[in-house]
């Protein structure tokens, strides 16, 4: 096969540039859409548990379990996704990085706290009902994700927020931190979607409400799972988009302690 001519190559490049420009979306409107989608996911999981699963309580009944999906979706998916996107905000591209590092770490810590509370709810429910723990694939994925999340947060705090962390360590660990950030989000989405599916299989069993008959609850929860999946994919796509990444800087402000950022 003959190699393409210079004219054909130029046409191809122009077509690629035109296609890229057509797909170019400003970050802030995209971020607003993601925020709306995330809030919708939280509202839907809360509505599902309130309307079809009996509401919420702390008495060890199935209503205690209902805290689990709400807290996991809110913390492990939506708030974690917000933390991941902090450095894509154009306002973070100039000035000291430390305040944005603190915001990023604080949002991630809030997500982790909600996640731990969500795990506590499901363990409390299982222990109160005499149900075994950690036997399903969903539980394995979920606990593995949380353990990986805890290691990610601790390593990120030590490498990027402690003022005495050496520069070479930050340079070495940064791509690892970025990779596992996206990986944890995808695992979180997989855990939540598999949990929704598992809950529907366990709950919709009787003759008039079988899952295979696709009652209203199944349609609602399946839609929730699809929205969570779309949210996770869009966040990862935003993280991978080169034009939305913060430009690398050799400035030493990231190594300054917190008080130095106030000058």
């Amino acid at each position: 096969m003959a190699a393409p001519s210079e004219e054909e190559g130029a046409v191809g490049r122009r077509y690629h540039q035109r296609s890229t420009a057509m797909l170019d979306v400003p970050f802030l409107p995209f971020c607003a859409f993601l925020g709306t989608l995330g809030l919708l996911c939280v509202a839907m999981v809360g509505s599902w548990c309130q309307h079809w699963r009996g509401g919420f309580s702390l008495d060890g009944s199935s209503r205690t379990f209902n805290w689990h999906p709400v807290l996991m979706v809110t913390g492990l998916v939506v708030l974690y996704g917000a933390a991941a996107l902090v450095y894509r905000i154009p306002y973070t591209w100039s000035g000291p990085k430390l305040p944005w590092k603190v915001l990023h770490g604080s949002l991630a810590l809030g997500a982790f706290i909600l996640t731990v509370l969500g795990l506590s709810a499901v363990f409390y429910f299982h222990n109160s009902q005499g149900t075994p723990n950690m036997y399903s694939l969903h539980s394995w994925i979920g606990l593995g994700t949380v353990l990986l999340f805890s290691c990610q947060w601790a390593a990120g705090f030590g490498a990027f927020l402690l003022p005495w962390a050496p520069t070479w360590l930050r340079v070495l660990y940064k791509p690892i931190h970025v990779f596992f950030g996206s990986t944890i989000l995808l695992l979180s989405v997989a855990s939540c979607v598999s949990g929704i599916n598992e809950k529907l299989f366990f709950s919709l069993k009787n003759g008039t409400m079988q899952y295979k008959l696709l009652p209203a609850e199944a349609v609602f929860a399946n839609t929730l799972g699809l929205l969570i999946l779309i949210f996770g994919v869009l966040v990862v796509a935003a993280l991978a988009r080169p034009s939305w990444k913060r430009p690398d800087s050799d400035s030493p402000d990231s190594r300054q302690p917190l008080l130095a950022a106030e000058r």
Side-chain angles (χ1 to χ4, degrees), residues 9-261:
V11 171
R13 286 192 295 272
R14 287 196 298 270
Y15 177 79
H16 174 73
Q17 293 172 354
R18 188 180 301 113
S19 300
T20 303
M22 291 174 63
L23 295 175
D24 191 21
V25 178
F27 174 77
L28 293 181
F30 180 84
C31 189
F33 171 76
L34 269 184
T36 303
L37 181 58
L39 291 176
L40 178 61
C41 290
V42 174
M44 286 186 68
V45 69
S47 299
W48 175 36
C49 293
Q50 180 66 43
H51 181 71
W52 279 287
R53 297 290 102 213
F56 305 90
S57 75
L58 298 174
D59 58 3
S61 67
S62 60
R63 292 183 299 167
T64 300
F65 172 86
N66 290 341
W67 288 107
H68 175 66
V70 172
L71 291 170
M72 301 307 275
V73 170
T74 304
L76 203 55
V77 175
V78 177
L79 195 55
Y80 182 92
L85 289 175
V86 164
Y87 290 120
R88 299 302 183 268
I89 301 174
Y91 304 121
T92 69
W93 293 1
S94 61
K97 295 175 65 176
L98 189 56
W100 300 107
K101 289 183 178 184
V102 172
L103 177 61
H104 173 73
S106 299
L107 289 174
L109 180 60
F112 183 73
I113 292 173
L114 292 180
T115 300
V116 171
L117 292 175
L119 285 180
S120 300
V122 71
F123 280 120
Y124 179 43
F125 165 71
H126 282 172
N127 294 335
S128 298
Q129 302 296 318
T131 304
N133 291 302
M134 301 305 302
Y135 64 88
S136 67
L137 178 61
H138 161 68
S139 62
W140 290 9
I141 296 174
L143 187 60
T145 303
V146 175
L147 292 176
L148 189 59
F149 184 8
S150 63
C151 295
Q152 169 87 342
W153 192 91
F157 179 83
F160 300 119
L161 280 176
L162 294 181
W164 53 81
T167 302
W168 65 263
L169 176 62
R170 296 178 179 182
V171 173
L172 178 66
Y173 177 62
K174 181 180 176 181
I176 300 174
H177 187 77
V178 172
F179 170 78
F180 278 105
S182 297
T183 300
I184 291 169
L185 180 60
L186 292 178
L187 289 174
S188 301
V189 169
S191 178
C192 289
V193 170
S194 64
I196 291 171
N197 193 241
E198 183 179 281
K199 181 62 176 177
L200 291 174
F201 273 118
F202 285 163
S203 302
L204 302 180
K205 291 182 177 180
N206 62 57
T208 59
M209 293 291 291
Q210 292 185 46
Y211 191 11
K212 65 181 180 180
L213 299 178
L214 208 62
E217 179 182 358
V219 173
F220 188 89
N222 284 352
T223 302
L224 168 63
L226 287 176
L227 292 178
I228 290 172
L229 178 61
I230 293 171
F231 178 87
V233 169
L234 289 179
V235 171
V236 173
L239 294 176
R241 190 178 182 90
S243 61
W244 288 350
K245 292 183 179 181
R246 175 183 173 123
D248 288 331
S249 174
D250 295 327
S251 63
D253 53 26
S254 63
R255 303 193 61 200
Q256 296 172 347
L258 183 59
L259 293 178

